[in-house]
Amino acid sequence: MNGIIILAAGASRRMGRPKQLLEIEGENLLNRVIRMAKASDFEAVSVVVGAHIELILPEIDSTGVEVFLNPDWESGMSSTLACGLKHTLRAFPELEAVLILLVDQPFITVELINRFLIIYQTEHPKLIAARYADVHGVPALFDKSLFPDLLGQQGQAGARKLIKAYEKELVAVDFPEGKMDLDTPEEWERFSKIGKKGA
């Protein structure tokens, strides 16, 4: 079994409001990525929430999705990733690999998600990472051999430190649109003007 963990616990401080609930054509960003994850060929989908839970939980389309709360979300994205993996492994102990997705990369598609799975099933690498703006990052898929490393990550780096450690041996998936993430009102405004039609 292969799963997806959507990290959605951040406070969106730079945005000034929960970016999980920003809408593209009437659908909030969190539900959008949930929908794509569920439409993919991955068998399990988990979502980790934290900040603004009283606003976000009522808005989540949780059908067929495991939703977990990270009470330590303020300690950083690594904590949210570890929380999500720990609870996902409890729900699906047969998990072979996990794909990490964020809510603020608006150009993620079902096709892109499935590309990670196809590469994993055919080549069996330890790590597959998106490539954009001359860096490797999320979305990123981790084989179960790396689960202990993910569970041990700390701070704000999330998966970046582990991706960097395996940079010479990972398999890269070109995703140039991944360089756009939505962290500030200015980025959201720019995306709203030029990007929504392609999202």
Side-chain angles (χ1 to χ4, degrees):
M1 172 179 282
N2 302 296
I4 291 173
I5 299 176
I6 300 168
L7 306 184
S12 308
R13 289 189 179 92
R14 285 188 287 167
M15 183 65 71
R17 53 177 169 153
K19 60 185 172 183
Q20 299 92 327
L21 301 182
L22 295 174
E23 290 191 352
I24 300 176
E25 297 181 349
E27 182 179 41
N28 68 54
L29 291 179
L30 178 51
N31 279 337
R32 185 176 182 280
V33 72
I34 289 173
R35 173 173 57 82
M36 293 188 181
K38 286 165 46 175
S40 76
D41 294 328
F42 282 81
E43 296 97 330
V45 179
S46 300
V47 179
V48 190
V49 295
H52 309 298
I53 188 170
E54 71 286 349
L55 298 174
I56 292 170
L57 271 184
E59 301 298 327
I60 293 177
D61 179 7
S62 59
T63 306
V65 173
E66 299 287 334
V67 180
F68 306 115
L69 169 65
N70 176 22
D72 300 318
W73 61 267
E74 288 186 271
S75 64
M77 191 181 294
S78 295
S79 168
T80 298
L81 199 163
C83 173
L85 181 56
K86 179 179 69 174
H87 287 294
T88 301
L89 282 170
R90 286 177 182 171
F92 308 102
E94 65 273 37
L95 204 64
E96 294 291 322
V98 66
L99 177 70
I100 304 302
L101 296 179
L102 305 178
V103 300
D104 62 358
Q105 290 180 304
F107 291 106
I108 288 173
T109 64
V110 177
E111 180 185 15
L112 176 71
I113 293 171
N114 281 336
R115 200 181 313 160
F116 282 83
L117 185 59
I118 291 168
I119 292 171
Y120 181 72
Q121 292 175 331
T122 56
E123 301 181 31
H124 306 290
K126 282 187 176 182
L127 175 58
I128 308 168
R131 178 167 52 202
Y132 43 84
D134 297 321
V135 299
H136 296 102
V138 292
L141 182 146
F142 298 86
D143 176 75
K144 65 180 180 181
S145 62
L146 295 179
F147 288 177
D149 295 291
L150 287 175
L151 291 169
Q153 296 292 300
Q154 295 181 341
Q156 296 290 343
R160 286 200 308 267
K161 186 176 180 181
L162 195 55
I163 292 171
K164 185 70 174 177
Y166 284 87
E167 200 161 27
K168 292 184 178 179
E169 53 190 291
L170 62 78
V171 174
V173 172
D174 285 323
F175 179 39
E177 300 89 351
K179 67 183 179 181
M180 174 172 277
D181 56 12
L182 305 172
D183 288 328
T184 67
E186 293 76 18
E187 288 169 343
W188 175 245
E189 182 179 0
R190 185 164 66 250
F191 171 70
S192 298
K193 288 179 179 178
I194 67 172
K196 280 188 176 181
K197 292 182 179 179

